[in-house]
Amino acid sequence: MPDHVEPPHATAAAAETVKEHSAPQDLVFHAGWFCPFVQRAWIALEEKGVPYQYNEVNPYKKEPHFLKVNPKGLVPALEHHGKALYESLVLLEYLEDAYPSAPALRPREAHEAGIVRLALQHISNVVVPTFYRYVQAQEPEKQAEGKQAFVKALQDTYEQWFVKGDAQWARGDDFGWVEAALVPWVARFPLLEKHRAFNIDGVGPEFKAWAQRALDRPSVKATTSEATAYEQIYRRYFEDTAESEVAKATRKGEWLK
Ligand SMILES: N[C@@H](CCC(=O)N[C@@H](CS)C(=O)NCC(=O)O)C(=O)O
């Protein structure tokens, strides 16, 4: 298990965001700058504009005090008024419920909120595991299979869960949970392009236009580090030597619970 993360802190616009959120607050966001699951909740915090304190954690070290916050030892996690929670999608729910007057990322209408939860299940159960299988594939034929499966997972996401037409965002006029849950992996596409011959054009022009809009969103920019910094972390995934829980589960043909 690696006990170091290189570089050990956020860079580019994300470094500024970390600095702006260094003062103590009732809400402590335990995060790792490099982690796409973290970026989900981090985007939501930035969209809502609520006060929070950013606390950089190296989850590979499994420090005893962090295991008290999240017994799984994974980032993201948060403490709010001293009470802890973890799991990126649970944190998205929590931020909606804890800050009802802040800008909402979850639709207010009950059925639409249900549809969006289904979209998030698809992203978490299909798109994200397919991403790691593609990244960790070593033999050329496995990489080709990985690419095909990943492109299909993204196309299915668009076909099944995007409203289409003139909508700016996945579910219509509002930037929301589908963006927060999926864009962190889109922000890591340059690594796939460089190491796995991925090309977003293969997914389709509408998805590509959505992805570019989402990457330009201030909350996404403010939580994104330099591509070269991600590269150092993901090198171990591309060589399939990463020892994270996600990487180990993917290697075994399973998915992280
Ligand atoms: N299902 C979790 C996944 C979180 C996760 O895997 N985080 C990684 C960093 S990207 C982590 O903390 N890894 C530490 C480890 O694997 O030991 C969520 O959605 O929050």
Side-chain angles (χ1 to χ4, degrees):
M1 174 127 339
D3 62 0
H4 62 283
V5 173
E6 295 158 339
H9 49 72
T11 55
E16 284 305 305
T17 310
V18 168
K19 203 154 78 184
E20 282 163 24
H21 292 275
S22 54
Q25 297 290 349
D26 288 340
L27 191 155
V28 182
F29 182 47
H30 298 285
W33 64 270
F34 58 89
C35 174
F37 300 95
V38 162
Q39 199 177 4
R40 284 175 161 176
W42 202 3
I43 288 170
L45 284 164
E46 286 292 309
E47 287 287 334
K48 292 185 171 298
V50 297
Y52 69 92
Q53 179 185 357
Y54 181 99
N55 179 42
E56 185 71 44
V57 172
N58 179 348
Y60 302 109
K61 281 196 170 163
K62 311 282 179 220
E63 305 269 17
H65 71 265
F66 183 58
L67 289 173
K68 281 195 188 133
V69 176
N70 180 357
K72 292 183 173 179
L74 305 174
V75 287
L78 62 74
E79 281 174 285
H80 196 188
H81 302 295
K83 291 185 189 163
L85 271 182
Y86 47 88
E87 281 297 319
S88 56
L89 297 184
V90 173
L91 301 191
L92 290 185
E93 292 274 7
Y94 179 76
L95 294 174
E96 296 301 307
D97 295 331
Y99 298 97
S101 48
L105 295 184
R106 179 179 65 198
R108 297 199 190 275
E109 197 274 314
H111 181 258
E112 175 62 12
I115 295 289
V116 171
R117 286 189 182 92
L118 291 174
L120 265 49
Q121 282 187 2
H122 173 82
I123 292 166
S124 292
N125 298 339
V126 180
V127 178
V128 173
T130 310
F131 173 92
Y132 289 99
R133 275 200 289 277
Y134 181 22
V135 166
Q136 289 177 235
Q138 297 299 298
E139 300 80 17
E141 65 278 12
K142 292 270 180 236
Q143 291 181 7
E145 272 169 40
K147 180 177 178 176
Q148 204 182 10
F150 188 60
V151 168
K152 181 173 184 317
L154 295 173
Q155 285 171 335
D156 287 350
T157 307
Y158 179 77
E159 284 309 321
Q160 291 170 23
W161 303 112
F162 280 45
V163 291
K164 312 188 188 72
D166 292 334
Q168 280 266 313
W169 302 114
R171 299 301 310 163
D173 293 334
D174 298 321
F175 182 97
W177 267 2
V178 174
E179 280 74 30
L182 183 55
V183 167
W185 283 270
V186 174
R188 285 148 182 83
F189 280 2
L191 302 175
L192 289 181
E193 285 157 12
K194 185 166 166 191
H195 294 275
R196 290 291 180 269
F198 177 72
N199 187 342
I200 195 172
D201 290 331
V203 183
E206 296 89 356
F207 184 86
K208 183 179 177 180
W210 166 87
Q212 193 54 55
R213 272 195 296 279
L215 291 174
D216 290 340
R217 182 86 172 175
S219 63
V220 176
K221 285 195 157 161
T223 55
T224 300
S225 283
E226 278 162 11
T228 51
Y230 292 133
E231 175 108 42
Q232 292 183 57
I233 301 290
Y234 279 85
R235 194 165 26 90
R236 289 190 282 271
Y237 284 83
F238 286 113
E239 292 166 356
D240 199 19
T241 55
E243 286 296 323
S244 68
E245 297 304 319
V246 168
K248 285 189 289 189
T250 304
R251 207 171 293 135
K252 282 196 271 177
E254 295 168 358
W255 176 233
L256 185 63
K257 305 282 181 310

